[in-house]
């Protein structure tokens, strides 16, 4: 993974490595498997415990045991002694691995697989499920998206797949996980969401009740809204486009998966990603009258997670304005530079006003980036989206778990929450000219050199680039005033031109 991709991740308030904690699971396993003829191997976030008495099969029914941040050790203490008594191979997620699994950028298809059990055959699989279903009845876990749920509380699920790593390669040379198919030929071990067994496996190891008990909040949401598209996914939850059945208007529905988040959310209530979705909903309510953010419409707290319903705004993302920058086109003329400058000046004048209105309402956005601003291509008005990291200006409310984007904040350097969002606004403006914000935490001098380069491209950029450079270096109120005055001057010229 290259450095630019790493910088795109939101990394404030990251999990802390604790060597003492990381040894808890390992020492418990050593105690359980001693004298039981097991081989212990660490691989990535997992600790593999392979039985030497019962050789691992190539493939079969896997049993996954899920958990939450709060009951993980309790479940381990029930499951591991029982599995070891059967001398069955298994793997568990280490303590630090568990936190990684619950983080935002971990593959959501793999989340929740805290313990994986490899039964010797279908009969043993059935017996293990029967025992654990009774023993873990009072616990809840994260739904494993690739599996078939066995228990009502998501703590036990199954999937047919490879026990040992078998790789084939596609036409481009990329490795593909495989299993032995019905005719003895390798085929892909499909790990897609909802695909828990190959088509030629007709029977499940036990009778599974396919009746889904839908809680009242989920039922209410599905009655009100028709989901039509998935806009994006990460481990924290999906963002969906839906239609309000009552008025046929499009809405955005933002999911927050229960129990996901890890140690970053220890001090929050609830102590998972639902806390920041609820914080975002409160922020949208506070801002609803000044219309600088999407209007909040509904909020649902279901058994599997929370869902925020907000206004759908069919505008462009600010990050895409950079594609119009004439610096990237070799045949650009002076007029192209002028048109682009006047456009971004008007957008950033409107964004500055919106930020002031939000700050005046007692909120700090904290994560203002070109990804979190929408603009109307016709009027150049703006709205701020994704307010999950917003905090109260007066220090009241929960200030934990603030996720910010490197390149657009000073928080990664001083760990303090700013009094306003001016610096983020400044970096977004610089980024629209030279696309160098990601260098802020790597080599800030490169940003200054790029501004020097940009001011020589077109004479009309010169004064703005000088103001931006001075402001980036000193970051005083008078510097910000000089930048916004220059922006207003350029935007004013654009307004005059349109009125003629």
């Amino acid at each position: 993974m290259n450095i630019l991709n790493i910088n795109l991740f939101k990394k404030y308030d990251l999990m802390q490595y604790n060597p003492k904690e990381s040894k808890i699971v390992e020492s418990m396993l050593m105690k359980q498997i001693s004298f039981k003829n097991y081989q212990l191997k660490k691989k990535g976030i997992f600790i593999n415990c392979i039985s030497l008495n019962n050789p691992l099969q190539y493939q079969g029914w896997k049993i996954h045991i899920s958990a939450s941040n709060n009951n993980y050790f309790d479940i381990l203490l029930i499951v591991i002694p029982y599995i070891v008594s059967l001398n069955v191979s298994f793997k568990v997620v280490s303590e630090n691995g568990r936190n990684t699994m619950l983080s935002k950028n971990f593959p959501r298809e793999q989340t929740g697989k805290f313990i994986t059990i490899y039964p010797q055959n279908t009969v043993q699989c059935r017996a293990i499920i029967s025992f654990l279903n009774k023993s873990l009845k009072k616990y809840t876990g994260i739904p494993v998206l690739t599996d078939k749920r066995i228990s009502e509380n998501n703590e036990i699920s199954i999937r047919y797949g490879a026990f040992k790593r078998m790789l084939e390669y596609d036409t481009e040379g990329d490795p593909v996980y495989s299993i032995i198919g019905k005719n003895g030929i390798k085929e892909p071990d499909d790990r897609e969401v909802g695909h828990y067994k190959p088509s030629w496996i007709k029977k499940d190891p036990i009778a599974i009740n396919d009746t889904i008990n839908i809680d009242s909040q989920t039922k209410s949401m599905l009655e009100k809204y028709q989901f039509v598209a998935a806009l994006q996914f990460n481990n924290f939850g999906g963002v969906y486009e839906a239609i309000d059945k009552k008025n046929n208007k499009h809405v955005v529905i933002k999911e927050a998966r229960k129990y996901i988040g890890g140690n970053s959310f220890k001090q929050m209530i609830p102590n998972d990603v639902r806390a920041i979705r609820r914080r975002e909903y409160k922020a949208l309510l506070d801002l609803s009258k000044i219309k600088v953010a999407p209007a909040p419409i509904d909020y649902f707290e279901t058994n599997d997670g929370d869902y925020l319903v907000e206004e759908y705004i069919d505008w462009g993302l600010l990050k895409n304005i950079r594609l119009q920058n004439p610096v990237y086109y070799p045949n650009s003329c002076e007029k192209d530079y002028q048109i682009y400058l006047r456009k971004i000046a008007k957008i950033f004048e409107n964004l500055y006003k919106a930020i002031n209105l939000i700050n005046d309402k007692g909120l700090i956005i904290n994560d203002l980036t070109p990804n979190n601003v929408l603009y109307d291509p016709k009027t150049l008005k703006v709205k701020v989206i994704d307010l999950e990291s917003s905090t109260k200006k007066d220090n009241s409310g929960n200030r934990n778990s603030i996720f910010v984007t490197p390149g657009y904040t000073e928080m990664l350097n001083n760990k303090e929450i700013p009094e306003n969002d001016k610096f983020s606004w400044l970096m977004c403006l610089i980024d629209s000219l030279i696309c160098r914000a990601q260098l802020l935490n790597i080599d800030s001098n490169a940003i200054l050199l790029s501004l020097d380069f940009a001011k020589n491209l077109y004479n009309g950029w010169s004064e703005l680039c000088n103001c931006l450079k001075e402001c980036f270096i000193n970051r005083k109120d008078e510097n910000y005033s000089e930048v916004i005055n220059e922006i207003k001057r350029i935007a004013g010229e654009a307004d005059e031109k349109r009125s003629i």
Side-chain angles (χ1 to χ4, degrees):
M1 183 178 290
N2 63 45
I3 194 72
L4 286 180
N5 284 338
I6 290 173
N7 281 334
L8 289 173
F9 293 160
K10 299 184 176 185
K11 284 190 169 182
Y12 186 69
D13 195 20
L14 291 179
M15 51 195 176
Q16 300 296 311
Y17 176 72
N18 188 331
K20 198 172 182 181
E21 279 190 345
S22 71
K23 297 291 182 184
I24 294 175
V25 175
E26 191 176 336
S27 102
M28 187 268 281
L29 287 174
M30 291 298 293
K31 200 175 290 184
Q32 291 293 331
I33 68 176
S34 58
F35 311 112
K36 298 288 185 180
N37 209 17
Y38 272 89
Q39 183 181 30
L40 187 145
K41 290 181 180 178
K42 295 181 192 175
K43 188 174 181 182
I45 66 171
F46 295 103
I47 303 172
N48 296 276
C49 299
I50 307 301
S51 168
L52 301 178
N53 292 344
N54 296 308
L56 196 64
Q57 303 296 311
Y58 278 99
Q59 63 194 52
W61 286 103
K62 302 178 184 184
I63 303 171
H64 288 124
I65 309 300
S66 187
S68 72
N69 222 13
N70 299 324
N71 62 27
Y72 174 60
F73 288 111
D74 293 335
I75 288 177
L76 275 181
L77 291 171
I78 293 170
V79 175
I80 302 307
Y82 172 67
I83 296 303
V84 170
S85 72
L86 300 176
N87 221 260
V88 171
S89 295
F90 64 95
K91 71 179 179 183
V92 301
V93 175
S94 67
E95 171 61 11
N96 285 319
R98 173 176 61 99
N99 204 35
T100 300
M101 182 178 277
L102 295 175
S103 65
K104 184 171 186 175
N105 296 298
F106 192 81
R108 67 192 189 102
E109 298 85 358
Q110 301 303 315
T111 302
K113 300 176 181 180
F114 292 102
I115 307 172
T116 304
I117 303 167
Y118 304 103
Q120 286 291 299
N121 50 53
T122 304
V123 174
Q124 189 180 62
C125 178
R126 192 179 299 128
I128 292 171
I129 290 171
S130 178
F131 175 83
L132 294 179
N133 216 0
K134 294 172 184 174
S135 304
L136 301 177
K137 205 163 190 177
K138 69 176 183 179
Y139 297 102
T140 57
I142 299 162
V144 178
L145 302 179
T146 59
D147 287 19
K148 185 75 172 179
R149 297 187 196 185
I150 298 294
S151 55
E152 287 185 9
N153 294 331
N154 302 313
E155 71 277 13
I156 305 172
S157 61
I158 58 170
R159 189 181 84 83
Y160 189 95
F163 289 3
K164 293 182 177 181
R165 191 176 186 184
M166 292 185 283
L167 293 179
E168 283 290 283
Y169 295 87
D170 62 20
T171 54
E172 296 185 358
D174 293 323
V176 178
Y177 287 102
S178 302
I179 55 174
I180 306 298
K182 186 178 181 181
N183 300 318
I185 301 171
K186 285 184 183 179
E187 63 179 56
D189 183 8
D190 195 344
R191 301 179 183 195
E192 294 295 319
V193 172
H195 186 92
Y196 76 102
K197 65 180 180 182
S199 58
W200 45 270
I201 297 287
K202 301 302 180 186
K203 287 186 178 181
D204 295 331
I206 63 168
I208 299 172
N209 184 5
D210 285 325
T211 304
I212 300 173
N213 295 319
I214 300 178
D215 61 90
S216 60
Q217 284 279 288
T218 301
K219 188 177 180 182
S220 176
M221 178 172 65
L222 294 175
E223 285 174 351
K224 286 185 175 183
Y225 303 100
Q226 176 69 48
F227 286 74
V228 295
L231 303 178
Q232 66 179 56
F233 284 116
N234 59 50
N235 201 24
F236 279 5
V239 179
Y240 309 93
E241 183 182 347
I243 294 174
D244 188 328
K245 295 178 182 178
K246 190 174 182 180
N247 56 27
N248 214 33
K249 287 185 177 180
H250 286 247
V251 297
V252 171
I253 300 182
K254 302 176 75 173
E255 177 187 24
R257 296 175 66 198
K258 192 175 184 179
Y259 301 138
I260 300 292
N263 292 346
S264 295
F265 295 87
K266 268 186 176 179
Q267 305 302 318
M268 301 191 77
I269 300 174
N271 57 356
D272 56 48
V273 71
R274 291 174 296 167
I276 60 172
R277 190 63 68 235
R278 293 176 189 182
R279 181 166 65 190
E280 181 178 13
Y281 179 53
K282 289 177 183 176
L284 292 178
L285 288 173
D286 289 342
L287 301 174
S288 57
K289 290 183 180 179
I290 57 175
K291 298 182 178 180
V292 292
I297 298 170
D298 256 328
Y299 200 90
F300 300 95
E301 297 179 19
T302 76
N303 287 349
D304 288 337
D306 285 15
Y307 294 84
L308 163 62
V309 184
E310 65 183 32
E311 173 190 13
Y312 178 86
I313 302 170
D314 192 18
W315 290 0
L317 267 180
L318 182 58
K319 75 168 186 176
N320 295 331
I321 197 76
R322 295 177 297 196
L323 299 176
Q324 301 175 32
N325 192 334
V327 74
Y328 302 120
Y329 303 96
N331 296 322
S332 297
C333 62
E334 187 171 310
K335 187 177 180 182
D336 297 324
Y337 282 95
Q338 187 182 67
I339 290 170
Y340 180 71
L341 180 63
R342 288 174 174 173
K343 180 180 284 189
I344 63 169
K346 193 63 186 175
I347 290 171
F348 278 90
E349 181 187 17
N350 289 333
L351 181 57
Y352 194 84
K353 290 175 183 175
I355 290 168
N356 284 335
L357 287 171
I358 292 170
N359 291 166
D360 289 346
K361 277 286 183 179
L363 284 173
I364 307 297
I365 302 165
N366 291 315
D367 191 32
L368 182 72
T369 78
N371 269 322
N372 296 342
V373 177
L374 295 174
Y375 76 97
D376 184 341
K378 294 178 181 177
T379 65
L380 304 183
K381 291 181 179 179
V382 301
K383 291 202 176 186
V384 179
I385 60 173
D386 295 341
L387 291 161
E388 60 194 34
S389 289
S390 60
T391 52
K392 291 285 187 182
K393 197 174 181 180
D394 61 4
N395 292 325
S396 67
N398 202 320
R399 296 164 69 83
N400 294 303
S401 294
I402 299 172
F403 291 83
V404 297
T405 306
Y408 301 94
T409 178
E410 295 178 290
M411 289 174 65
L412 290 177
N413 295 326
N414 58 30
K415 308 296 185 196
E416 292 180 4
I417 296 174
E419 294 181 0
N420 57 52
D421 299 292
K422 285 181 182 177
F423 181 75
S424 299
W425 174 84
L426 178 76
M427 291 311 300
C428 288
L429 177 52
I430 289 174
D431 204 47
S432 70
L433 286 176
I434 60 171
C435 198
R436 291 291 186 272
Q438 295 296 330
L439 293 172
L440 175 65
N441 305 106
I442 303 169
D443 182 9
S444 59
N445 191 52
I447 293 175
L448 299 175
L449 291 173
S450 297
L451 285 170
D452 281 336
F453 169 77
K455 74 180 184 181
N456 294 318
L457 290 173
Y458 162 57
N459 190 50
W461 286 20
S462 181
E463 187 58 36
L464 177 59
C465 286
N466 285 333
C467 291
L468 289 172
K469 187 177 176 181
E470 201 65 31
C471 191
F472 181 77
I473 294 169
N474 299 309
R475 304 176 196 181
K476 294 179 180 178
D477 286 344
E478 55 264 32
N479 300 125
Y480 284 106
S481 295
E482 288 173 4
V483 174
I484 190 59
N485 287 337
E486 179 63 14
I487 283 292
K488 286 178 178 177
R489 183 189 69 77
I490 298 166
E493 288 179 0
D495 289 338
E496 286 176 15
K497 189 168 181 64
R498 276 196 293 268
S499 63
I500 294 173

